[in-house]
Amino acid sequence: MRQARRAVAALTRRQPARPLFTDRKSLYRGHLPTNPLQKLAATAISAAKALKDPRRADMVGVLGEATGRVALEKIRSDLKTTREGRLILSERPVVDSTTINGDELRQLDENTFGHAYGRFLERYGFDPDDRTPVALVDDEELAYVLLRYRQVHDFWHVLFGLPPTVHGELVLKWFELVHTGLPVAAFSALFGPLRLSSKQRRRLYDAHVPWATRQGRACTQSLLAVYYEKCFDE
C-alpha cells in the first residue's frame, strides 16, 4: 500500500519518472510507464480520494488515465472512420494558450461558435492551459485521444449551453458516459450527485439525465471527430 500511495503521489505531481516507474521506457513526454498492479493501485487510491473530495480534479484525472484503455481504443477507431477524425489524429491539434486567443475569438461575429467560446472563457475565468497532460496511458496515440477529450470538454459546455456549475458538469458527464463510454465519466456521473441536495438530485434525474442520455445516443458520430478549431467562425 505504501508503494501504491507513492505511485499516486508521483502521478499527481506529474514529475519525471522515478524508480517506481522504470520497468518500461517512456513513450511520450511526461509518460509514467506503469504495470497492471500499479494501475490497479492508482485506480483504487484515486477513486477513494475523489470520493472523499470530489473537487480533487487531479484524482479524477488519474482515475481516467488508469481505467480508460478500452473506451479510448473505441474512440480512436471511431475517429479513423471519418476524414475529419483522421485529420485530427494526424495533425494533433491542442487547446492551449498557444492556439487559443480569447480576445480574438470575442471579436468574431456574435453568432459564431468562436465568439461563444471566447465569452465562455471570459465569463468563467477559464484558461485553455488548465487541462493537465496525460501520463498513465501506455500508448502515445491513445494518450493524445484522452488529452483531446479533456481539452474539448469546454467546447461541449458551449455547444450544449451548460454552465460549468456542479449541476451543469453532471449533466455533461452523463452525456459523456453515454457518448464515449469512458469509465471516468461513469464515476463522475454516478457519484457526483452525492454533492447535491435531495431536491437537486430529483431535478437532475427527472429532467436532465434523460435529456443527456438522449443526446448521447443521438450523436451517431463521435463529437471528438469534430475539428472545432476550424469551426470558430461558423
Side-chain angles (χ1 to χ4, degrees):
M1 181 59 71
R2 182 179 300 174
Q3 185 184 42
R5 292 185 184 279
R6 288 174 53 210
V8 173
L11 292 171
T12 56
R13 285 195 295 269
R14 294 294 195 253
Q15 292 179 359
R18 294 167 177 66
L20 199 61
F21 304 101
T22 54
D23 1 343
R24 288 182 288 173
K25 293 182 179 180
S26 295
L27 301 176
Y28 51 88
R29 182 178 180 182
H31 178 221
L32 300 177
T34 50
N35 59 42
L37 182 59
Q38 290 167 333
K39 278 191 171 59
L40 180 62
T43 299
I45 295 173
S46 60
K49 288 182 177 290
L51 282 173
K52 184 177 180 180
D53 183 358
R55 294 169 297 182
R56 291 290 303 271
D58 57 341
M59 290 294 101
V60 176
V62 171
L63 181 65
E65 295 176 27
T67 62
R69 176 87 188 205
V70 174
L72 290 173
E73 289 178 343
K74 172 65 166 56
I75 294 170
R76 176 170 63 183
S77 296
D78 291 341
L79 288 172
K80 290 182 176 180
T81 63
T82 68
R83 184 195 64 81
E84 198 166 5
R86 292 191 294 272
L87 186 62
I88 290 171
L89 288 176
S90 173
E91 295 187 353
R92 305 272 181 98
V94 295
V95 181
D96 59 24
S97 58
T98 68
T99 61
I100 299 296
N101 185 313
D103 292 335
E104 291 182 358
L105 290 175
R106 287 186 288 275
Q107 292 174 11
L108 295 173
D109 188 276
E110 290 187 3
N111 295 319
T112 61
F113 170 60
H115 180 87
Y117 176 59
R119 287 298 182 195
F120 177 90
L121 294 176
E122 181 182 48
R123 178 177 182 181
Y124 297 107
F126 286 173
D127 186 330
D129 289 329
D130 286 343
R131 300 300 175 184
T132 57
V134 176
L136 274 186
V137 179
D138 296 325
D139 180 292
E140 189 262 347
E141 190 170 56
L142 292 182
Y144 172 73
V145 172
L146 181 56
L147 178 65
R148 184 66 174 172
Y149 161 74
R150 289 177 177 173
Q151 293 186 338
V152 302
H153 176 83
D154 287 342
F155 292 160
W156 294 355
H157 271 288
V158 175
L159 289 174
F160 290 113
L162 294 170
T165 59
V166 172
H167 194 96
E169 291 288 355
L170 289 173
V171 175
L172 189 53
K173 286 304 177 185
W174 274 98
F175 166 81
E176 292 176 358
L177 167 59
V178 175
H179 187 62
T180 69
L182 284 165
V184 69
F187 179 87
S188 297
L190 295 173
F191 293 104
L194 297 176
R195 301 172 62 186
L196 302 177
S197 67
S198 57
K199 182 178 180 180
Q200 291 172 324
R201 283 196 296 271
R202 282 196 301 271
R203 183 161 65 95
L204 175 69
Y205 291 127
D206 290 346
H208 296 128
V209 169
W211 175 86
T213 54
R214 285 197 304 271
Q215 298 306 313
R217 289 192 293 266
C219 293
T220 55
Q221 176 181 310
S222 174
L223 288 188
L224 282 160
V226 178
Y227 209 136
Y228 295 97
E229 295 86 341
K230 295 182 180 293
C231 302
F232 281 155
D233 59 353
E234 297 179 3

